[in-house]
Amino acid sequence: MNTLGAYLEKLRLSYGYSLHAAARKCGLSHGYIRDVEKGINRNNSGSLIPKPNTLKKFALAYNADFNVLMHLAGYSHEEVKDDFEFLEIRLDQILYIRVNCDNEIEYHLESEQHEEKRNLYDYLLLETKLEKLDFLRIESGLLINLRQIKELSFPERKIHFESTYLPLTWLQFTKHNKTIRRAIDRNTWEEELPSTTSTLIRKTSRTH
């Protein structure tokens, strides 16, 4: 079982990198990255284990723990535990996303909340993807899923979802209330769009 390759692939996908984007980040060819993920050397069909210097490039590009990669590659027999776990969540089930003061991304769903850390560049990539999926940027670091909104109350200035709500400032309400109300009207008569779009996140160990 190619544990290292599977782990590296999850690291790449958790940031939404294509093979070409990962190649630019790592300074390696996209073909080599895919070979490492599969664990097969295409030249001789043998197993492929990157050298420590190459693993360091992966660690820097993916913001990963170099010691974990060394252990998975078999260079170190001392097991190192990650401070996160991979979690796949459906984007259409996210109510809103907020970036907190610790630069963690908070994914708010109806009955649960998850956090992960991304650098600014990778967060902006995610934000661009979400805006194409009918998420509205209320302000920097706060996006709401327009398809999950049930009601917008005034004068309370609250966005209501199925069983929770999100308060808005007066400026946020004034700027976005027309867009939100149009989305609510659409949500009442438009059939729910089928969605299989999901994202892989690095859930931090803290739970709620």
Side-chain angles (χ1 to χ4, degrees), residues 26-193:
C26 296
L28 304 166
S29 73
H30 68 276
Y32 176 77
I33 291 174
R34 190 56 183 153
D35 288 348
V36 171
E37 291 177 353
K38 292 180 177 179
I40 299 175
N41 188 327
R42 70 175 69 186
N43 295 321
N44 56 26
S45 298
S47 60
L48 178 58
I49 302 296
K51 295 180 179 179
N53 284 341
T54 303
L55 291 177
K56 187 170 294 185
K57 292 181 179 181
F58 279 116
L60 291 173
Y62 296 161
N63 192 27
D65 190 327
F66 174 66
N67 293 320
V68 171
L69 299 185
M70 288 290 286
H71 172 73
L72 293 175
Y75 292 111
S76 169
H77 297 293
E78 183 177 348
E79 188 169 358
V80 183
K81 183 175 177 58
D82 283 328
D83 59 356
F84 66 86
E85 62 178 297
F86 292 111
L87 177 68
E88 187 172 8
I89 58 177
R90 283 180 48 175
L91 295 177
D92 61 317
Q93 293 181 347
I94 297 172
L95 305 182
Y96 61 95
I97 293 177
R98 189 193 299 275
V99 180
N100 67 23
C101 59
D102 295 322
N103 294 320
E104 287 184 329
I105 303 175
E106 301 173 351
Y107 297 88
H108 294 261
L109 290 81
E110 279 290 352
S111 58
E112 57 194 71
Q113 175 184 330
H114 305 292
E115 296 86 18
E116 71 167 343
K117 282 195 173 184
R118 297 193 185 205
N119 61 39
L120 178 60
Y121 172 79
D122 292 318
Y123 170 72
L124 292 177
L125 289 180
L126 175 65
E127 191 174 84
T128 300
K129 179 180 181 180
L130 291 172
E131 287 177 346
K132 294 178 180 178
L133 295 172
D134 225 3
F135 279 71
L136 174 66
R137 183 158 60 92
I138 296 293
E139 63 179 14
S140 179
L142 176 60
L143 291 94
I144 59 170
N145 186 351
L146 290 173
R147 294 194 173 274
Q148 288 285 352
I149 300 174
K150 305 301 181 184
E151 182 185 352
L152 178 63
S153 61
F154 183 81
E156 296 88 350
R157 301 192 308 274
K158 293 178 180 178
I159 294 176
H160 294 268
F161 303 100
E162 189 68 40
S163 60
T164 188
Y165 66 85
L166 175 68
L168 299 179
T169 65
W170 177 256
L171 182 60
Q172 292 169 345
F173 179 86
T174 303
K175 182 177 180 180
H176 298 291
N177 81 88
K178 290 183 179 179
T179 301
I180 294 172
R181 291 190 187 281
R182 284 197 297 267
I184 293 171
D185 290 341
R186 180 200 61 199
N187 292 343
T188 59
W189 56 262
E190 189 176 84
E191 292 185 5
E192 183 179 352
L193 294 178

Side-chain angles (χ1 to χ4, degrees), residues 1-11 36-38 86:
M1 180 179 179
N2 180 27
T3 307
L4 173 65
Y7 184 82
L8 287 172
E9 184 176 23
K10 285 184 176 181
L11 286 173
V36 171
E37 291 177 353
K38 292 180 177 179
F86 292 111

